[in-house]
PDB file of all heavy atoms in Angstrom:
ATOM      1  N   PHE A   1     -40.536 211.964 160.969  1.00 97.00           N
ATOM      2  CA  PHE A   1     -39.910 210.875 161.710  1.00 97.00           C
ATOM      3  C   PHE A   1     -40.411 209.507 161.261  1.00 97.00           C
ATOM      4  O   PHE A   1     -39.979 208.481 161.781  1.00 97.00           O
ATOM      5  CB  PHE A   1     -40.138 211.052 163.212  1.00 97.00           C
ATOM      6  CG  PHE A   1     -39.390 212.213 163.813  1.00 97.00           C
ATOM      7  CD1 PHE A   1     -39.744 212.726 165.042  1.00 97.00           C
ATOM      8  CD2 PHE A   1     -38.320 212.800 163.137  1.00 97.00           C
ATOM      9  CE1 PHE A   1     -39.049 213.787 165.601  1.00 97.00           C
ATOM     10  CE2 PHE A   1     -37.625 213.872 163.686  1.00 97.00           C
ATOM     11  CZ  PHE A   1     -37.992 214.363 164.923  1.00 97.00           C
ATOM     12  N   GLY A   2     -41.314 209.482 160.290  1.00 98.00           N
ATOM     13  CA  GLY A   2     -41.687 208.220 159.657  1.00 98.00           C
ATOM     14  C   GLY A   2     -40.706 207.802 158.589  1.00 98.00           C
ATOM     15  O   GLY A   2     -40.782 206.685 158.062  1.00 98.00           O
ATOM     16  N   SER A   3     -39.758 208.700 158.284  1.00 97.00           N
ATOM     17  CA  SER A   3     -38.766 208.426 157.235  1.00 97.00           C
ATOM     18  C   SER A   3     -37.345 208.711 157.680  1.00 97.00           C
ATOM     19  O   SER A   3     -36.414 208.560 156.898  1.00 97.00           O
ATOM     20  CB  SER A   3     -39.066 209.281 155.997  1.00 97.00           C
ATOM     21  OG  SER A   3     -40.348 209.024 155.490  1.00 97.00           O
ATOM     22  N   SER A   4     -37.179 209.143 158.922  1.00 96.00           N
ATOM     23  CA  SER A   4     -35.837 209.443 159.425  1.00 96.00           C
ATOM     24  C   SER A   4     -35.727 208.971 160.868  1.00 96.00           C
ATOM     25  O   SER A   4     -36.732 208.664 161.513  1.00 96.00           O
ATOM     26  CB  SER A   4     -35.555 210.950 159.357  1.00 96.00           C
ATOM     27  OG  SER A   4     -36.296 211.641 160.352  1.00 96.00           O
ATOM     28  N   GLY A   5     -34.511 208.936 161.376  1.00 95.00           N
ATOM     29  CA  GLY A   5     -34.295 208.489 162.755  1.00 95.00           C
ATOM     30  C   GLY A   5     -34.448 209.579 163.778  1.00 95.00           C
ATOM     31  O   GLY A   5     -34.312 209.315 164.982  1.00 95.00           O
ATOM     32  N   GLY A   6     -34.738 210.806 163.300  1.00 93.00           N
ATOM     33  CA  GLY A   6     -34.969 211.911 164.223  1.00 93.00           C
ATOM     34  C   GLY A   6     -33.798 212.155 165.148  1.00 93.00           C
ATOM     35  O   GLY A   6     -32.659 212.309 164.711  1.00 93.00           O
ATOM     36  N   PHE A   7     -34.068 212.154 166.454  1.00 92.00           N
ATOM     37  CA  PHE A   7     -33.034 212.423 167.457  1.00 92.00           C
ATOM     38  C   PHE A   7     -32.599 211.160 168.185  1.00 92.00           C
ATOM     39  O   PHE A   7     -31.907 211.225 169.192  1.00 92.00           O
ATOM     40  CB  PHE A   7     -33.545 213.456 168.465  1.00 92.00           C
ATOM     41  CG  PHE A   7     -33.964 214.757 167.831  1.00 92.00           C
ATOM     42  CD1 PHE A   7     -35.270 215.204 167.943  1.00 92.00           C
ATOM     43  CD2 PHE A   7     -33.061 215.517 167.111  1.00 92.00           C
ATOM     44  CE1 PHE A   7     -35.671 216.398 167.356  1.00 92.00           C
ATOM     45  CE2 PHE A   7     -33.436 216.711 166.526  1.00 92.00           C
ATOM     46  CZ  PHE A   7     -34.748 217.157 166.641  1.00 92.00           C
ATOM     47  N   GLY A   8     -33.040 209.987 167.690  1.00 94.00           N
ATOM     48  CA  GLY A   8     -32.664 208.734 168.321  1.00 94.00           C
ATOM     49  C   GLY A   8     -33.535 208.351 169.504  1.00 94.00           C
ATOM     50  O   GLY A   8     -33.282 207.346 170.165  1.00 94.00           O
ATOM     51  N   THR A   9     -34.562 209.145 169.775  1.00 93.00           N
ATOM     52  CA  THR A   9     -35.509 208.828 170.844  1.00 93.00           C
ATOM     53  C   THR A   9     -36.859 208.483 170.210  1.00 93.00           C
ATOM     54  O   THR A   9     -36.990 208.407 169.001  1.00 93.00           O
ATOM     55  CB  THR A   9     -35.668 210.025 171.799  1.00 93.00           C
ATOM     56  OG1 THR A   9     -36.054 211.187 171.037  1.00 93.00           O
ATOM     57  CG2 THR A   9     -34.354 210.315 172.518  1.00 93.00           C
ATOM     58  N   SER A  10     -37.867 208.275 171.043  1.00 95.00           N
ATOM     59  CA  SER A  10     -39.242 208.023 170.580  1.00 95.00           C
ATOM     60  C   SER A  10     -39.338 206.835 169.629  1.00 95.00           C
ATOM     61  O   SER A  10     -39.874 206.944 168.524  1.00 95.00           O
ATOM     62  CB  SER A  10     -39.795 209.282 169.888  1.00 95.00           C
ATOM     63  OG  SER A  10     -39.599 210.436 170.653  1.00 95.00           O
ATOM     64  N   PRO A  11     -38.850 205.658 170.013  1.00 97.00           N
ATOM     65  CA  PRO A  11     -38.831 204.531 169.079  1.00 97.00           C
ATOM     66  C   PRO A  11     -40.216 204.087 168.628  1.00 97.00           C
ATOM     67  O   PRO A  11     -40.398 203.732 167.458  1.00 97.00           O
ATOM     68  CB  PRO A  11     -38.124 203.421 169.872  1.00 97.00           C
ATOM     69  CG  PRO A  11     -38.299 203.801 171.312  1.00 97.00           C
ATOM     70  CD  PRO A  11     -38.263 205.291 171.330  1.00 97.00           C
ATOM     71  N   ALA A  12     -41.201 204.100 169.510  1.00 98.00           N
ATOM     72  CA  ALA A  12     -42.544 203.662 169.121  1.00 98.00           C
ATOM     73  C   ALA A  12     -43.160 204.635 168.123  1.00 98.00           C
ATOM     74  O   ALA A  12     -43.815 204.224 167.159  1.00 98.00           O
ATOM     75  CB  ALA A  12     -43.437 203.516 170.349  1.00 98.00           C
ATOM     76  N   TYR A  13     -42.960 205.920 168.338  1.00 97.00           N
ATOM     77  CA  TYR A  13     -43.494 206.937 167.425  1.00 97.00           C
ATOM     78  C   TYR A  13     -42.892 206.781 166.034  1.00 97.00           C
ATOM     79  O   TYR A  13     -43.603 206.790 165.025  1.00 97.00           O
ATOM     80  CB  TYR A  13     -43.203 208.331 167.980  1.00 97.00           C
ATOM     81  CG  TYR A  13     -43.775 209.456 167.155  1.00 97.00           C
ATOM     82  CD1 TYR A  13     -45.124 209.793 167.259  1.00 97.00           C
ATOM     83  CD2 TYR A  13     -42.973 210.200 166.294  1.00 97.00           C
ATOM     84  CE1 TYR A  13     -45.661 210.834 166.515  1.00 97.00           C
ATOM     85  CE2 TYR A  13     -43.486 211.240 165.545  1.00 97.00           C
ATOM     86  CZ  TYR A  13     -44.841 211.560 165.660  1.00 97.00           C
ATOM     87  OH  TYR A  13     -45.363 212.595 164.912  1.00 97.00           O
ATOM     88  N   HIS A  14     -41.573 206.608 165.971  1.00 98.00           N
ATOM     89  CA  HIS A  14     -40.912 206.425 164.681  1.00 98.00           C
ATOM     90  C   HIS A  14     -41.398 205.155 163.990  1.00 98.00           C
ATOM     91  O   HIS A  14     -41.664 205.155 162.782  1.00 98.00           O
ATOM     92  CB  HIS A  14     -39.393 206.368 164.861  1.00 98.00           C
ATOM     93  CG  HIS A  14     -38.761 207.698 165.118  1.00 98.00           C
ATOM     94  ND1 HIS A  14     -38.918 208.369 166.311  1.00 98.00           N
ATOM     95  CD2 HIS A  14     -37.963 208.475 164.342  1.00 98.00           C
ATOM     96  CE1 HIS A  14     -38.242 209.503 166.256  1.00 98.00           C
ATOM     97  NE2 HIS A  14     -37.667 209.595 165.073  1.00 98.00           N
ATOM     98  N   ALA A  15     -41.508 204.084 164.752  1.00 98.00           N
ATOM     99  CA  ALA A  15     -41.956 202.816 164.175  1.00 98.00           C
ATOM    100  C   ALA A  15     -43.379 202.943 163.630  1.00 98.00           C
ATOM    101  O   ALA A  15     -43.693 202.469 162.532  1.00 98.00           O
ATOM    102  CB  ALA A  15     -41.887 201.708 165.220  1.00 98.00           C
ATOM    103  N   ALA A  16     -44.254 203.580 164.402  1.00 98.00           N
ATOM    104  CA  ALA A  16     -45.650 203.722 163.983  1.00 98.00           C
ATOM    105  C   ALA A  16     -45.772 204.614 162.760  1.00 98.00           C
ATOM    106  O   ALA A  16     -46.489 204.281 161.799  1.00 98.00           O
ATOM    107  CB  ALA A  16     -46.483 204.286 165.133  1.00 98.00           C
ATOM    108  N   LYS A  17     -45.091 205.747 162.759  1.00 98.00           N
ATOM    109  CA  LYS A  17     -45.205 206.665 161.632  1.00 98.00           C
ATOM    110  C   LYS A  17     -44.546 206.086 160.378  1.00 98.00           C
ATOM    111  O   LYS A  17     -44.999 206.344 159.253  1.00 98.00           O
ATOM    112  CB  LYS A  17     -44.591 208.017 161.993  1.00 98.00           C
ATOM    113  CG  LYS A  17     -45.364 208.775 163.062  1.00 98.00           C
ATOM    114  CD  LYS A  17     -46.797 209.065 162.646  1.00 98.00           C
ATOM    115  CE  LYS A  17     -47.522 209.960 163.634  1.00 98.00           C
ATOM    116  NZ  LYS A  17     -48.906 210.272 163.213  1.00 98.00           N
ATOM    117  N   GLY A  18     -43.493 205.288 160.552  1.00 98.00           N
ATOM    118  CA  GLY A  18     -42.909 204.594 159.409  1.00 98.00           C
ATOM    119  C   GLY A  18     -43.877 203.571 158.838  1.00 98.00           C
ATOM    120  O   GLY A  18     -43.995 203.400 157.614  1.00 98.00           O
ATOM    121  N   ALA A  19     -44.606 202.894 159.715  1.00 98.00           N
ATOM    122  CA  ALA A  19     -45.604 201.927 159.264  1.00 98.00           C
ATOM    123  C   ALA A  19     -46.732 202.618 158.507  1.00 98.00           C
ATOM    124  O   ALA A  19     -47.220 202.108 157.493  1.00 98.00           O
ATOM    125  CB  ALA A  19     -46.163 201.159 160.454  1.00 98.00           C
ATOM    126  N   VAL A  20     -47.155 203.782 158.978  1.00 98.00           N
ATOM    127  CA  VAL A  20     -48.203 204.539 158.287  1.00 98.00           C
ATOM    128  C   VAL A  20     -47.745 204.924 156.887  1.00 98.00           C
ATOM    129  O   VAL A  20     -48.515 204.849 155.918  1.00 98.00           O
ATOM    130  CB  VAL A  20     -48.592 205.785 159.107  1.00 98.00           C
ATOM    131  CG1 VAL A  20     -49.471 206.730 158.289  1.00 98.00           C
ATOM    132  CG2 VAL A  20     -49.319 205.374 160.386  1.00 98.00           C
ATOM    133  N   ARG A  21     -46.501 205.323 156.770  1.00 98.00           N
ATOM    134  CA  ARG A  21     -45.947 205.687 155.455  1.00 98.00           C
ATOM    135  C   ARG A  21     -46.052 204.520 154.478  1.00 98.00           C
ATOM    136  O   ARG A  21     -46.516 204.678 153.338  1.00 98.00           O
ATOM    137  CB  ARG A  21     -44.488 206.103 155.626  1.00 98.00           C
ATOM    138  CG  ARG A  21     -43.700 206.278 154.332  1.00 98.00           C
ATOM    139  CD  ARG A  21     -42.278 206.712 154.662  1.00 98.00           C
ATOM    140  NE  ARG A  21     -41.465 206.814 153.464  1.00 98.00           N
ATOM    141  CZ  ARG A  21     -40.660 205.864 153.015  1.00 98.00           C
ATOM    142  NH1 ARG A  21     -40.556 204.709 153.678  1.00 98.00           N
ATOM    143  NH2 ARG A  21     -39.946 206.042 151.927  1.00 98.00           N
ATOM    144  N   THR A  22     -45.647 203.328 154.896  1.00 98.00           N
ATOM    145  CA  THR A  22     -45.650 202.176 153.994  1.00 98.00           C
ATOM    146  C   THR A  22     -47.047 201.627 153.789  1.00 98.00           C
ATOM    147  O   THR A  22     -47.411 201.207 152.678  1.00 98.00           O
ATOM    148  CB  THR A  22     -44.718 201.085 154.544  1.00 98.00           C
ATOM    149  OG1 THR A  22     -43.431 201.646 154.819  1.00 98.00           O
ATOM    150  CG2 THR A  22     -44.550 199.974 153.528  1.00 98.00           C
ATOM    151  N   LEU A  23     -47.868 201.611 154.843  1.00 98.00           N
ATOM    152  CA  LEU A  23     -49.252 201.165 154.708  1.00 98.00           C
ATOM    153  C   LEU A  23     -49.982 202.024 153.683  1.00 98.00           C
ATOM    154  O   LEU A  23     -50.782 201.514 152.880  1.00 98.00           O
ATOM    155  CB  LEU A  23     -49.961 201.245 156.063  1.00 98.00           C
ATOM    156  CG  LEU A  23     -51.452 200.885 156.066  1.00 98.00           C
ATOM    157  CD1 LEU A  23     -51.659 199.419 155.691  1.00 98.00           C
ATOM    158  CD2 LEU A  23     -52.074 201.193 157.428  1.00 98.00           C
ATOM    159  N   THR A  24     -49.724 203.310 153.702  1.00 98.00           N
ATOM    160  CA  THR A  24     -50.355 204.220 152.740  1.00 98.00           C
ATOM    161  C   THR A  24     -50.079 203.780 151.308  1.00 98.00           C
ATOM    162  O   THR A  24     -50.995 203.716 150.473  1.00 98.00           O
ATOM    163  CB  THR A  24     -49.838 205.650 152.959  1.00 98.00           C
ATOM    164  OG1 THR A  24     -50.223 206.100 154.273  1.00 98.00           O
ATOM    165  CG2 THR A  24     -50.394 206.607 151.913  1.00 98.00           C
ATOM    166  N   LYS A  25     -48.834 203.476 151.009  1.00 98.00           N
ATOM    167  CA  LYS A  25     -48.480 203.053 149.652  1.00 98.00           C
ATOM    168  C   LYS A  25     -49.136 201.718 149.308  1.00 98.00           C
ATOM    169  O   LYS A  25     -49.597 201.504 148.172  1.00 98.00           O
ATOM    170  CB  LYS A  25     -46.958 202.955 149.522  1.00 98.00           C
ATOM    171  CG  LYS A  25     -46.240 204.295 149.701  1.00 98.00           C
ATOM    172  CD  LYS A  25     -44.741 204.117 149.585  1.00 98.00           C
ATOM    173  CE  LYS A  25     -44.019 205.428 149.883  1.00 98.00           C
ATOM    174  NZ  LYS A  25     -44.389 206.513 148.951  1.00 98.00           N
ATOM    175  N   ASN A  26     -49.173 200.824 150.276  1.00 98.00           N
ATOM    176  CA  ASN A  26     -49.766 199.513 150.054  1.00 98.00           C
ATOM    177  C   ASN A  26     -51.243 199.627 149.688  1.00 98.00           C
ATOM    178  O   ASN A  26     -51.721 199.007 148.717  1.00 98.00           O
ATOM    179  CB  ASN A  26     -49.580 198.664 151.307  1.00 98.00           C
ATOM    180  CG  ASN A  26     -50.236 197.300 151.210  1.00 98.00           C
ATOM    181  OD1 ASN A  26     -51.359 197.131 151.667  1.00 98.00           O
ATOM    182  ND2 ASN A  26     -49.557 196.338 150.615  1.00 98.00           N
ATOM    183  N   ILE A  27     -51.993 200.430 150.451  1.00 98.00           N
ATOM    184  CA  ILE A  27     -53.423 200.579 150.188  1.00 98.00           C
ATOM    185  C   ILE A  27     -53.646 201.399 148.921  1.00 98.00           C
ATOM    186  O   ILE A  27     -54.619 201.165 148.183  1.00 98.00           O
ATOM    187  CB  ILE A  27     -54.150 201.213 151.386  1.00 98.00           C
ATOM    188  CG1 ILE A  27     -53.865 200.417 152.670  1.00 98.00           C
ATOM    189  CG2 ILE A  27     -55.650 201.269 151.141  1.00 98.00           C
ATOM    190  CD1 ILE A  27     -54.259 198.959 152.598  1.00 98.00           C
ATOM    191  N   ALA A  28     -52.764 202.347 148.634  1.00 98.00           N
ATOM    192  CA  ALA A  28     -52.886 203.114 147.392  1.00 98.00           C
ATOM    193  C   ALA A  28     -52.833 202.189 146.183  1.00 98.00           C
ATOM    194  O   ALA A  28     -53.605 202.345 145.223  1.00 98.00           O
ATOM    195  CB  ALA A  28     -51.775 204.159 147.306  1.00 98.00           C
ATOM    196  N   LEU A  29     -51.945 201.212 146.207  1.00 98.00           N
ATOM    197  CA  LEU A  29     -51.850 200.250 145.108  1.00 98.00           C
ATOM    198  C   LEU A  29     -53.070 199.331 145.077  1.00 98.00           C
ATOM    199  O   LEU A  29     -53.628 199.040 144.012  1.00 98.00           O
ATOM    200  CB  LEU A  29     -50.574 199.425 145.245  1.00 98.00           C
ATOM    201  CG  LEU A  29     -49.261 200.193 145.080  1.00 98.00           C
ATOM    202  CD1 LEU A  29     -48.080 199.284 145.374  1.00 98.00           C
ATOM    203  CD2 LEU A  29     -49.138 200.787 143.680  1.00 98.00           C
ATOM    204  N   HIS A  30     -53.505 198.895 146.254  1.00 98.00           N
ATOM    205  CA  HIS A  30     -54.637 197.974 146.348  1.00 98.00           C
ATOM    206  C   HIS A  30     -55.922 198.607 145.830  1.00 98.00           C
ATOM    207  O   HIS A  30     -56.760 197.922 145.213  1.00 98.00           O
ATOM    208  CB  HIS A  30     -54.801 197.546 147.802  1.00 98.00           C
ATOM    209  CG  HIS A  30     -55.866 196.532 148.036  1.00 98.00           C
ATOM    210  ND1 HIS A  30     -55.897 195.303 147.409  1.00 98.00           N
ATOM    211  CD2 HIS A  30     -56.969 196.565 148.851  1.00 98.00           C
ATOM    212  CE1 HIS A  30     -56.944 194.616 147.814  1.00 98.00           C
ATOM    213  NE2 HIS A  30     -57.618 195.358 148.685  1.00 98.00           N
ATOM    214  N   TRP A  31     -56.083 199.925 146.055  1.00 98.00           N
ATOM    215  CA  TRP A  31     -57.317 200.605 145.693  1.00 98.00           C
ATOM    216  C   TRP A  31     -57.204 201.441 144.420  1.00 98.00           C
ATOM    217  O   TRP A  31     -58.138 202.168 144.066  1.00 98.00           O
ATOM    218  CB  TRP A  31     -57.770 201.498 146.844  1.00 98.00           C
ATOM    219  CG  TRP A  31     -58.413 200.746 147.970  1.00 98.00           C
ATOM    220  CD1 TRP A  31     -58.756 199.422 148.006  1.00 98.00           C
ATOM    221  CD2 TRP A  31     -58.805 201.292 149.235  1.00 98.00           C
ATOM    222  NE1 TRP A  31     -59.325 199.106 149.204  1.00 98.00           N
ATOM    223  CE2 TRP A  31     -59.385 200.225 149.987  1.00 98.00           C
ATOM    224  CE3 TRP A  31     -58.736 202.550 149.804  1.00 98.00           C
ATOM    225  CZ2 TRP A  31     -59.865 200.405 151.279  1.00 98.00           C
ATOM    226  CZ3 TRP A  31     -59.224 202.741 151.091  1.00 98.00           C
ATOM    227  CH2 TRP A  31     -59.788 201.670 151.821  1.00 98.00           C
TER     228      TRP A  31
END
């Protein structure tokens, strides 16, 4: 649900897990 809209519920969970997905790539490049 960090990369899909799931069932259209749980907006905070989707937003947070999507942020984790992108943050991971950002720090991977930085380090």
Side-chain angles (χ1 to χ4, degrees):
F1 291 163
S3 301
S4 73
F7 302 119
T9 55
S10 311
Y13 183 80
H14 284 71
K17 292 300 187 178
V20 169
R21 170 179 177 264
T22 308
L23 177 65
T24 297
K25 296 179 185 299
N26 177 265
I27 306 302
L29 294 174
H30 184 57
W31 283 352

